[in-house]
Amino acid sequence: MPAHETGGRLGEEFFTPGTSSFARFLAAHRPGLLPTRSPLPPGTAVAPDAVAHGTTVLALAYRDGVLIAGDRRATMGNLIAQRDLEKVHPADDHTAVAFAGTVGLALDMVKLYQVELTHFEKIEGIPMTLDGKASRLAAMIRENLGQAMQGLAVVPLLAGYDPKAPAGARGRIFSFDVAGGLYEKRAFHAEGSGSPYAGGALKKLYRPGLTRREAALAALQALYDAADDDSATGGPDLNRRIFPLVSVITEDGFERLPESETADLTREMVDQRRTRPDGPRATS
């Protein structure tokens, strides 16, 4: 029962041994708090321009770990709903999640996922493995399938540093489909409406052993290509000082690149585009 119905004391369910999953605890005792619980009657579809959607996000492995980045635009149909949306979030010290899809639902799912990982570590006394984190996120997406079929889909991208993986392959990337299908990607991956263009750019620019700076520039070039061909993806806005969000995950943990560093790299990339509008050529 809620605390106000028990004289301010926690309910009995809080003291009963159970699952290490916070999401499953909510499903059993407070299902109304789950973001995956549909507020719509069965069979109701959401108009595509009724809610904000976010794109494009990408990740790529590099020499020291993995980089994850996203553009900043959210759209409602043909309207720009937000220009500075944050689509990349730390899940814990060595894992990050980025999202494309329904913004409000995605942000709630990210918050629940962050609590899920913290709850597991508190209950079990050890951090969840990276494979376990990917499986937990896949389960949360699967529980949202009903809303996805009504037009409220969330498609996250998970990146993490795995100290148990072989040296040189500790930056790992996982993608998902709306039904909770889980797929590990090698080297790089992009999600969202601009992903065909971002993925094509990464295929051209990626090579093993990139430095952090080279990986960041490749990500910025890919997001620029996505914005060039996809109206839902926002390019860098130099006048408003709105730049893509770029973060890295290494042995030292999650780190978001300072805005000053991202701004300098973005300006360098835009200057290069003045002489090569289609971007750099593929490296041999």
Side-chain angles (χ1 to χ4, degrees):
M1 295 179 68
H4 71 272
E5 297 180 16
T6 57
R9 298 187 302 273
L10 291 175
E12 187 177 301
E13 63 271 20
F14 289 91
F15 302 97
T16 303
T19 176
S20 60
S21 169
F22 185 74
R24 291 174 187 168
F25 175 83
L26 284 183
H29 301 288
R30 301 288 190 275
L33 298 178
L34 285 170
T36 53
R37 182 175 180 268
S38 179
L40 304 173
T44 303
V46 178
D49 58 351
V51 294
H53 285 77
T55 59
T56 299
V57 295
L58 58 84
L60 64 151
Y62 75 106
R63 185 178 63 190
D64 299 323
V66 62
L67 179 146
I68 185 166
D71 82 304
R72 308 294 297 277
R73 178 175 292 178
T75 58
M76 295 177 64
N78 64 322
L79 301 177
I80 298 176
Q82 187 172 347
R83 300 179 189 275
D84 59 352
L85 178 66
E86 295 192 10
K87 304 176 187 178
V88 179
H89 300 267
D92 63 12
D93 290 343
H94 288 88
T95 317
V97 60
F99 66 84
T102 308
V103 172
L105 187 58
L107 291 173
D108 281 348
M109 190 178 291
V110 168
K111 292 175 185 176
L112 179 60
Y113 184 58
Q114 291 167 335
V115 176
E116 178 84 353
L117 300 187
T118 302
H119 182 77
F120 177 91
E121 187 168 349
K122 288 181 177 179
I123 295 298
E124 300 294 335
I126 57 172
M128 193 182 297
T129 65
L130 187 53
D131 288 298
K133 294 172 189 178
S135 296
R136 283 291 174 93
L137 185 53
M140 292 175 63
I141 298 166
R142 193 173 302 116
E143 291 168 1
N144 188 57
L145 181 58
Q147 292 200 75
M149 295 298 99
Q150 292 176 300
L152 298 174
V154 177
V155 184
L157 180 63
L158 184 70
Y161 182 86
D162 188 354
K164 296 182 179 179
R170 291 176 179 165
R172 300 175 64 191
I173 302 165
F174 299 89
S175 72
F176 308 83
D177 60 34
V178 294
L182 170 61
Y183 315 95
E184 182 166 4
K185 301 298 182 177
R186 304 295 179 185
F188 59 85
H189 187 68
E191 289 287 359
S193 62
S195 60
Y197 314 108
L202 289 176
K203 183 179 290 187
K204 177 178 68 172
L205 300 174
Y206 181 83
R207 68 178 189 277
L210 292 171
T211 65
R212 168 171 141 159
R213 187 179 190 279
E214 291 169 336
L217 278 171
L220 292 172
Q221 293 279 9
L223 290 172
Y224 192 99
D225 278 349
D228 202 32
D229 288 296
D230 173 45
S231 61
T233 303
D237 191 331
L238 302 183
N239 293 329
R240 293 187 177 93
R241 293 189 56 81
I242 299 174
F243 307 102
L245 289 181
V246 181
S247 299
V248 295
I249 314 165
T250 66
E251 183 179 10
D252 296 327
F254 175 92
E255 178 191 357
R256 177 165 290 173
L257 269 62
E259 183 180 300
S260 59
E261 182 178 352
T262 307
D264 289 343
L265 291 173
T266 300
R267 290 191 177 94
E268 178 182 334
M269 182 264 299
V270 171
D271 285 342
Q272 293 172 358
R273 291 278 179 151
R274 290 194 174 100
T275 55
R276 293 195 60 84
D278 295 329
R281 294 179 178 175
T283 55
S284 57

